[in-house]
Amino acid sequence: MKRLSRLRRHRAAGPVLLIFALFTIGTTFQVASAVNQENATVQSRSTAIAEGKEIFLRGCSSCHGLNAEGQEIAPSLIGVGAASVDFQVGTGRMPMADMSQQAVRKAPVYSPEEVHALATYVASLAPGPAVPGDELLNYERDGSVAEGGQLFRTNCAMCHNFAGQGGALTQGKYAPTVMGVQPKHIYEAMITGPQAMPVFSDKTLTPEEKLSIIKWIKSAESEPQLGGVALGRVGPVTEGLLAWTLGIVLLIGVAVWLAAKAR
Amino acid sequence: MTARERIAGNVAGYVDDRTGGAKWMKKNLQKVFPDHWSFLLGEICLYSFIILLLSGTFLTFWFDPSMREVVYEGAYEPLQGVKMSAAYASALEISFEVRGGLLMRQIHHWAALIFMIGIVVHLMRVFFTGAFRKPREFNWIIGVGLLTLGIVEGFLGYSLPDDLLSGTGIRIAEAIIQAIPVVGSYLSYFAFGGAFPGLAFIPRIYVVHVLLLPGIFLALITVHLMLVWYQKHTQFPGPGRTEKNVVGYPLMPVYMAKAGGFFFIVFGVTAFLGAVASINPIWLYGPYNPGQVSAGSQPDWYMGWLDGLVRMSPPIETYLFGYTISWNILIPGLILPGIIFTGLALYPFIESWITGDKREHHLLDRPRNAPNRTAIGAMALTFTLVSLINGGNDIIATSFDLTINQMMWFSRIAIIVLPPIAFIVTKRLCLSLQRADRDLVLHGRETGRLVRMPNGEFVEVHEPISPEKAWLLTSHEQLAPLELPEVDGAGVRRPAAIRNKIRNRISRAHAVAVPKATETERRELEGHH
Amino acid sequence: MSNSESREVDLIKDPGLPAHVHRRTDTDPVAAKRAERQVAILFSLSALGTLLLIFSFIFISDETFIFIPVMGETNAHQLGLGLGMAIALFCIGAGAIHWAKTLMPDEEIVVQRHEFRSDDEDRADFVKTVKEGAANAGLGRRPLIKRTLGAALGLSGLTPLLLLRDLGPLPGDDLKKTHWKAGTRLVTDPGDRPIRPEDLEIGAVAQTQPEFPEGKERHLEDIAKDAVLLIRMRPEEFNLDSERLSWTHEGIIAFSKICSHMGCAVALYEQTTKHLLCPCHQSTFDVTRAAKVIFGPAARPLPQLAITVDAEGYLVAQAPFSEPVGPSFWGRLS
């Protein structure tokens, strides 16, 4: 704790703290969203559609239109598929908290059952990418972590950073961190291209390759700190900041003590 | 005489019989060094350099500077089976298979960052206190050379592991080389042994990084220190300290113990950073591939300001007779740095040209007493800071909920607007501080005690300051501006009239000062109280 | 100058070096003993640090992780080694400094400086010596020697330039060529699978390379010039002239992925705004307008690759790039 209080006194403690705060928030969301999704398939399809429509009319139609046809402020949902709904609502991005540049990941508003109902309803409007099943998502078995790393660096790292920590896009948009995201949601993001993210088609990035990417992300996520505090894994900026704060301040502190006359 | 003393005497005698060094040693062991914390900033650089040599030598035992393609079979699972260069694979080996290797790599990298920080803060101390003035101009130039070489050396080290971040940096360096008019593409093909990235670059920069530049460093640092030794260290003004003496502690034993101890402190702090904080986790970056890049690809901080300049540069290229000149690369990448470093190296000569002062100086200036110089320094720092901030604009944007576009426009405007403002504000601040010094000498310290006068008026009791403090606040010189003749005795313009006029004008601006308190004024006021 | 001189006379007087103040350790033997113990404790701590290092090196495997508050789960081997080393070194330093400060003499010494300038006589002698030396060598009197020596030295300076010639080949038109030719298939990177237009949904991107004949290996030099980004959008979203439009295929447009500014891989595609962003220097390109630069330091659009489909329905290049890819250079357009 001593180190923390020393850090806190530095002028530049803000950014470092912010990174810690973001990490903490991220972890909280991870825990919050990792609620077990069980027996959502128990309901019959038609009741799910009806229930989904009800939720839609209550929570989504004010922006997306009564028939999900879209309005000026929100896109049409016809043909976006169940995967898109599952991603957007399941990660808490929808419903949006405010009309900001970008929907942020937060604790989901709806339960997994409600998300399923909503997705079934939207999928009933027009065909679109379906929610990947558990059998498909067996990345531990079907993925290769080394290949996943290469694919991640070619296809993802330019936006999400080399360690999946996210990065800046234009005009205040940003690629969010991919740490602490459910494999299902990562997969859905790749096939649906939410918000600014492009779509990664199954022919150019095969399902096995997608699983490899997920496997690499999970490996990076669970990788313990091999060389000490990770400093946000954002590269030389935080490293330079630490050297200019903790490093040089410690040294100058000792220099002041050294040159002060003993009493 | 104890046995130990006798042995020591014998050894000394043996050496002196053959070298005659006793006299020299006696004199130099009593060499006096003034004590001030800011005089240790240069030592931080020296010690970091030694740490870099030690840790760097350790790393060379395993590092394989080759771009030969290998398939990784080492300990780090997520990369097993990936094709990579032997350089990258051996850097991974150092990190994961050599015990203490990762620690040494991190110590090496942290020491490099601290080396460069040390150089910059040392330079700031030397600049703001006027320590570069005659007779120390040579040492100033050597220092600027070390700073420049340090940036290059650091960049080469950053490039050696051949990870994705390294390669991105090399790619940008290659683009800068390529942008040089007429010969750019030739130079690039020579440097890389063909098309980028080729197989030749890492082995070549390895030799430069571990042999050529460290050799030059060693030579320059030696000369730098010998000059400090020979010219004796500067000292801050104070009672009993003059241009003609040095007040401090003898080398043997006090300074030796302190300086030697400080080496261990610097090494200890660097080792601490290497132990607790990860730096450049190359295994996460993956091997370099020109088709890949990471968001937030930045150079280390000492190059960050250059990258920030490149980022904020306007998109200008000219096409002349079918030839391309990339101003968007040349200006921020070569021309501006060239101007900045040349200006830095020439500053002592520029200042002495302005003041006409050709005397030796061993007493340092308090920064406030050289308002113009301090303001120029503040201006330069502001410039560098704005560009450094822009070098990390994407990380800052995502951390503080800004947009990279706002950051970029802020920097583009701030880089022009803020430095002059910093100049004006700093100069005024210095003059106010001079005024405060004057008040302190003449009216004493405010005690905060209120006393009621017989007439009912409340006055605060002022306590006169000590003679030592009064001396400190008034001992500086206040040079009058130059008054070079613009016309000769007969009223005819002299040949150098225009130059002299300019010089007089700059000198007047430079010499602006609040007149310091004099003994007469002080006595007069004391009479009143 | 007269003004400042009169002020110098009126200066407040230098009170001289303040009297030496004794430290507690100078006067109080107990304090001195305490300082001695403190120094000894610091040195002993250093020894403990080295013991920690030895212990970590031998007994802690590098696969052990411990949880440290604030730091989190951390590699114990690395941390033990580093902290041991840090403690060992820092405490030696702290002990030595404390020793010097408290127990070594702290009386300041005054030493006189001497002006560096030699006296006039020595300087004159020096000049004379140099002049005589030069005269004795006869450089001034024998211009033939002077000139030929100058020429010889100057010419010998060319040697290193000449010898360094073989550092690399001449670029020739290498920088202007890529492996894209009419009919070259676009294949996925990595994976090397050919792509059909229908493989890409609206809003999709794909990282591609030119197809290499069987057995030909792709090197980094090739990727550094050949990398191409495919983007698919609705054809009506394009804002292109008819020529550039003809370079697209069913809403699929292809650009060199190598930034026209400094050569980073530009692949941050924003599906919503149709902008491409380079992460290195934030140049932003508008894909709908043939990668026109709309922000940042890049001066030129990304080169567009003309594409179409071959007989088997796979995407191929219509023609090589119409301009050199990557960063600018002097003879780029010639």
Side-chain angles (χ1 to χ4, degrees):
Chain A
M1 288 319 270
K2 240 190 188 150
R3 217 180 131 249
L4 180 67
S5 63
R6 198 190 302 128
L7 271 172
R8 196 185 293 139
R9 261 177 270 132
H10 296 319
R11 251 184 323 158
V16 177
L17 273 181
L18 207 93
I19 289 159
F20 274 111
L22 285 174
F23 188 75
T24 322
I25 293 166
T27 321
T28 321
F29 285 153
Q30 177 194 4
V31 175
S33 61
V35 180
N36 238 348
Q37 302 190 343
E38 48 184 47
N39 61 20
T41 47
V42 175
Q43 298 164 302
S44 74
R45 202 175 123 78
S46 54
T47 44
I49 291 173
E51 199 184 310
K53 180 159 194 182
E54 200 178 309
I55 299 169
F56 184 87
L57 289 174
R58 227 180 321 118
C60 319
S61 60
S62 57
C63 298
H64 288 285
L66 288 173
N67 299 310
E69 74 279 15
Q71 295 183 27
E72 222 148 82
I73 50 167
S76 158
L77 300 182
I78 295 165
V80 298
S84 188
V85 177
D86 191 58
F87 175 84
Q88 300 282 4
V89 186
T91 61
R93 285 184 168 77
M94 292 290 153
M96 276 173 94
D98 51 50
M99 281 297 151
S100 56
Q101 180 68 266
Q102 191 165 337
V104 293
R105 174 145 65 107
K106 54 185 185 291
V109 172
Y110 296 107
S111 70
E113 293 77 25
E114 289 170 317
V115 174
H116 174 74
L118 257 178
T120 317
Y121 164 67
V122 171
S124 73
L125 300 174
V131 176
D134 286 346
E135 176 50 28
L136 175 68
L137 284 173
N138 198 339
Y139 63 90
E140 283 296 354
R141 184 191 62 199
D142 298 334
S144 142
V145 69
E147 193 197 8
Q150 282 169 293
L151 288 160
F152 185 88
R153 287 188 287 277
T154 306
N155 290 289
C156 322
M158 59 278 200
C159 300
H160 292 283
N161 138 318
F162 65 93
Q165 302 293 325
L169 299 175
T170 67
Q171 307 292 354
K173 293 187 287 298
Y174 60 90
T177 172
V178 294
M179 297 291 109
V181 184
Q182 288 180 35
K184 177 176 76 162
H185 292 147
I186 300 176
Y187 196 97
E188 286 164 352
M190 287 190 274
I191 55 174
T192 62
Q195 304 189 37
M197 179 165 163
V199 178
F200 292 88
S201 310
D202 273 353
K203 286 286 166 46
T204 55
L205 197 67
T206 63
E208 293 77 48
E209 290 178 332
K210 290 190 170 92
L211 292 181
S212 293
I213 289 179
I214 294 172
K215 190 168 180 181
W216 184 86
I217 291 174
K218 290 296 151 193
S219 140
E221 187 179 298
S222 61
E223 184 176 295
Q225 300 177 11
L226 300 170
V229 173
L231 300 178
R233 286 183 181 165
V234 290
V237 172
T238 47
E239 295 164 0
L241 203 60
L242 189 71
W244 265 105
T245 49
L246 185 63
I248 200 66
V249 167
L250 270 178
L251 289 175
I252 291 181
V254 174
V256 170
W257 169 65
L258 188 154
K261 245 179 150 43
R263 269 174 297 137
Chain B
M1 198 190 268
T2 64
R4 207 181 298 164
E5 278 168 347
R6 211 169 43 243
I7 295 170
N10 287 343
V11 172
Y14 183 90
V15 176
D16 186 59
D17 284 347
R18 282 149 188 84
T19 60
K23 193 176 159 206
W24 187 87
M25 284 300 285
K26 185 193 120 231
K27 197 175 130 218
N28 281 296
L29 285 177
Q30 288 169 352
K31 189 102 191 165
V32 163
F33 286 91
D35 225 4
H36 191 271
W37 67 265
S38 69
F39 298 167
L40 294 162
L41 298 174
E43 280 183 32
I44 294 178
C45 313
L46 174 66
Y47 300 149
S48 310
F49 180 70
I50 297 172
I51 297 165
L52 285 166
L53 285 184
L54 293 174
S55 53
T57 306
F58 179 92
L59 297 177
T60 59
F61 296 152
W62 291 274
F63 183 67
D64 176 7
S66 159
M67 290 171 103
R68 174 172 49 87
E69 193 178 78
V70 297
V71 175
Y72 183 67
E73 303 291 354
Y76 185 66
E77 236 175 293
L79 284 172
Q80 280 166 3
V82 173
K83 284 185 191 168
M84 56 181 65
S85 70
Y88 182 64
S90 65
L92 291 174
E93 186 201 343
I94 293 172
S95 306
F96 297 120
E97 276 134 292
V98 177
R99 270 183 288 182
L102 179 58
L103 178 67
M104 278 302 186
R105 252 198 63 225
Q106 299 199 146
I107 288 178
H108 193 70
H109 204 140
W110 283 119
L113 296 195
I114 288 184
F115 179 60
M116 294 307 297
I117 294 174
I119 292 181
V120 170
V121 290
H122 176 53
L123 176 126
M124 277 155 64
R125 199 279 295 168
V126 169
F127 182 85
F128 286 116
T129 60
F132 53 79
R133 289 172 297 172
K134 187 181 170 186
R136 296 185 175 77
E137 300 97 326
F138 290 162
N139 242 6
W140 171 263
I141 291 176
I142 293 174
V144 174
L146 285 167
L147 167 66
T148 319
L149 287 179
I151 293 175
V152 176
E153 177 74 343
F155 176 72
L156 295 184
Y158 164 99
S159 304
L160 277 176
D162 205 23
D163 57 295
L164 184 53
L165 190 62
S166 297
T168 306
I170 300 177
R171 172 87 245 202
I172 290 164
E174 194 262 353
I176 294 177
I177 299 175
Q178 212 173 282
I180 298 171
V182 188
V183 293
S185 52
Y186 291 86
L187 290 181
S188 163
Y189 265 62
F190 290 159
F192 288 85
F196 172 88
L199 293 175
F201 196 63
I202 297 269
R204 286 178 184 175
I205 62 170
Y206 179 69
V207 170
V208 178
H209 180 79
V210 305
L211 181 72
L212 189 60
L213 284 180
I216 297 175
F217 265 107
L218 218 48
L220 288 180
I221 289 175
T222 309
V223 177
H224 200 73
L225 291 178
M226 277 166 60
L227 277 171
V228 171
W229 190 277
Y230 179 66
Q231 295 180 329
K232 298 197 178 75
H233 208 286
T234 51
Q235 59 188 354
F236 275 102
R241 291 154 192 240
T242 69
E243 291 283 10
K244 299 259 185 264
N245 70 8
V246 197
V247 181
Y249 296 107
L251 176 71
M252 177 93 180
V254 181
Y255 202 75
M256 232 178 216
K258 282 187 170 182
F262 197 51
F263 165 72
F264 286 97
I265 297 278
V266 176
F267 209 158
V269 168
T270 315
F272 174 71
L273 285 174
V276 300
S278 167
I279 186 163
N280 197 11
I282 49 164
W283 55 91
L284 284 168
Y285 281 103
Y288 179 58
N289 177 326
Q292 302 172 347
V293 72
S294 164
S297 287
Q298 265 97 6
D300 278 342
W301 77 264
Y302 46 83
M303 291 273 288
W305 63 283
L306 287 169
D307 198 50
L309 285 177
V310 173
R311 288 179 185 204
M312 72 174 85
S313 157
I316 308 169
E317 268 185 358
T318 36
Y319 310 103
L320 262 184
F321 311 112
Y323 294 108
T324 308
I325 306 173
S326 304
W327 300 110
N328 52 354
I329 297 177
L330 288 173
I331 292 178
L334 290 171
I335 297 172
L336 264 181
I339 294 173
I340 289 169
F341 284 109
T342 313
L344 195 61
L346 293 182
Y347 184 79
F349 309 101
I350 297 171
E351 192 183 289
S352 106
W353 183 78
I354 292 171
T355 57
D357 186 356
K358 308 283 182 220
R359 296 162 307 158
E360 282 186 13
H361 289 278
H362 303 289
L363 276 182
L364 297 172
D365 279 327
R366 297 169 77 220
R368 67 185 63 174
N369 291 332
N372 225 44
R373 180 201 298 147
T374 308
I376 289 173
M379 184 167 81
L381 284 182
T382 310
F383 179 90
T384 320
L385 196 64
V386 171
S387 24
L388 182 60
I389 287 172
N390 196 47
N393 60 0
D394 40 359
I395 305 286
I396 295 171
T398 45
S399 305
F400 296 100
D401 219 0
L402 300 163
T403 79
I404 50 175
N405 309 66
Q406 288 165 344
M407 288 287 301
M408 193 89 94
W409 277 111
F410 162 78
S411 308
R412 280 175 174 176
I413 295 166
I415 199 90
I416 294 167
V417 174
L418 285 188
I421 292 179
F423 181 89
I424 294 165
V425 169
T426 311
K427 192 161 177 177
R428 297 211 160 191
L429 196 67
C430 287
L431 291 172
S432 326
L433 286 169
Q434 285 187 14
R435 213 164 287 126
D437 281 355
R438 182 183 157 85
D439 287 349
L440 204 56
V441 174
L442 292 180
H443 304 291
R445 199 166 54 83
E446 293 171 3
T447 55
R449 266 185 295 128
L450 288 181
V451 173
R452 192 170 177 184
M453 305 297 277
N455 60 6
E457 183 195 359
F458 282 96
V459 292
E460 190 180 1
V461 176
H462 283 238
E463 205 171 66
I465 54 172
S466 67
E468 283 82 15
K469 181 99 192 192
W471 165 249
L472 174 71
L473 298 184
T474 55
S475 63
H476 59 281
E477 259 190 327
Q478 290 190 319
L479 278 186
L482 289 178
E483 282 165 30
L484 298 170
E486 288 166 33
V487 291
D488 65 13
V492 181
R493 282 173 69 83
R494 297 162 66 102
I498 293 176
R499 208 181 62 199
N500 283 355
K501 190 172 179 178
I502 295 172
R503 234 179 122 181
N504 286 341
R505 181 135 338 144
I506 301 178
S507 177
R508 258 203 305 282
H510 190 80
V512 60
V514 176
K516 61 185 186 183
T518 62
E519 188 61 35
T520 324
E521 286 171 307
R522 192 163 135 100
R523 257 193 238 114
E524 270 169 27
L525 266 158
E526 262 168 20
H528 282 292
H529 283 300
Chain C
M1 252 1 212
S2 61
N3 186 14
S4 82
E5 263 164 30
S6 70
R7 251 192 249 154
E8 299 297 320
V9 176
D10 201 15
L11 262 183
I12 289 172
K13 296 284 170 302
D14 181 0
L17 210 58
H20 178 64
V21 183
H22 284 295
R23 296 165 297 189
R24 236 174 318 164
T25 45
D26 293 328
T27 53
D28 181 2
V30 180
K33 198 76 202 158
R34 194 186 311 129
E36 187 185 342
R37 264 200 312 275
Q38 285 164 345
V39 173
I41 288 172
L42 282 168
F43 286 155
S44 315
L45 272 178
S46 159
L48 286 181
T50 305
L51 286 181
L52 173 61
L53 180 127
I54 295 171
F55 177 81
S56 314
F57 192 88
I58 300 175
F59 296 108
I60 304 182
S61 116
D62 61 357
E63 274 156 33
T64 320
F65 290 87
I66 49 167
F67 181 81
I68 307 272
V70 180
M71 282 184 73
E73 192 85 358
T74 307
N75 188 318
H77 174 73
Q78 145 90 6
L79 190 68
L81 282 180
L83 280 184
M85 193 167 162
I87 292 168
L89 294 164
F90 191 91
C91 289
I92 292 179
I97 292 170
H98 193 55
W99 179 13
K101 280 182 58 164
T102 53
L103 295 169
M104 291 183 191
D106 80 327
E107 215 136 348
E108 287 190 309
I109 293 178
V110 183
V111 175
Q112 295 307 305
R113 289 182 194 272
H114 311 282
E115 210 183 355
F116 294 107
R117 191 184 190 285
S118 315
D119 54 39
D120 290 340
E121 203 177 315
D122 283 343
R123 280 160 77 125
D125 275 356
F126 168 72
V127 173
K128 211 173 107 203
T129 316
V130 172
K131 270 190 184 154
E132 273 172 11
N136 289 345
L139 269 182
R141 273 178 294 125
R142 302 189 201 282
L144 186 61
I145 291 186
K146 198 159 86 182
R147 282 183 206 137
T148 48
L149 176 63
L153 284 176
L155 274 175
S156 71
L158 288 177
T159 313
L161 285 184
L162 208 65
L163 291 179
L164 287 176
R165 162 63 191 84
D166 282 344
L167 274 177
L170 296 183
D173 58 354
D174 199 25
L175 281 170
K176 297 173 192 165
K177 283 191 308 196
T178 66
H179 289 98
W180 293 104
K181 286 190 277 289
T184 310
R185 273 186 186 164
L186 291 93
V187 294
T188 59
D189 172 30
D192 288 292
R193 298 181 299 271
I195 304 165
R196 290 177 203 271
E198 56 271 27
D199 293 346
L200 296 170
E201 291 98 338
I202 304 284
V205 295
Q207 326 281 335
T208 65
Q209 295 286 340
E211 188 175 44
F212 273 16
E214 195 73 31
K216 186 174 176 204
E217 223 183 310
R218 183 171 286 124
H219 296 291
L220 295 187
E221 296 84 271
D222 306 324
I223 298 176
K225 285 192 295 190
D226 293 344
V228 158
L229 184 70
L230 276 187
I231 298 168
R232 181 160 199 180
M233 60 179 80
R234 269 180 280 279
E236 64 270 21
E237 287 172 316
F238 284 133
N239 186 1
L240 302 169
D241 60 38
S242 58
E243 190 200 4
R244 288 306 183 96
L245 198 60
S246 73
W247 289 8
T248 67
H249 181 81
E250 293 176 8
I252 302 175
I253 190 164
F255 291 107
S256 165
K257 200 174 156 187
I258 309 301
C259 189
S260 62
H261 177 223
M262 289 179 122
C264 289
V266 192
L268 284 79
Y269 175 61
E270 295 178 5
Q271 199 214 138
T272 37
T273 54
K274 317 282 187 269
H275 291 167
L276 265 170
L277 173 71
C278 176
C280 289
H281 302 105
Q282 281 123 30
S283 300
T284 310
F285 305 89
D286 185 350
V287 172
T288 61
R289 287 183 285 169
K292 183 180 149 96
V293 182
I294 52 169
F295 189 76
R300 289 182 287 110
L302 298 169
Q304 185 185 344
L305 182 71
I307 52 168
T308 182
V309 287
D310 63 10
E312 289 168 65
Y314 288 112
L315 286 169
V316 294
Q318 280 183 29
F321 274 108
S322 63
E323 54 179 320
V325 301
S328 294
F329 54 95
W330 177 253
R332 200 179 75 86
L333 299 174
S334 60

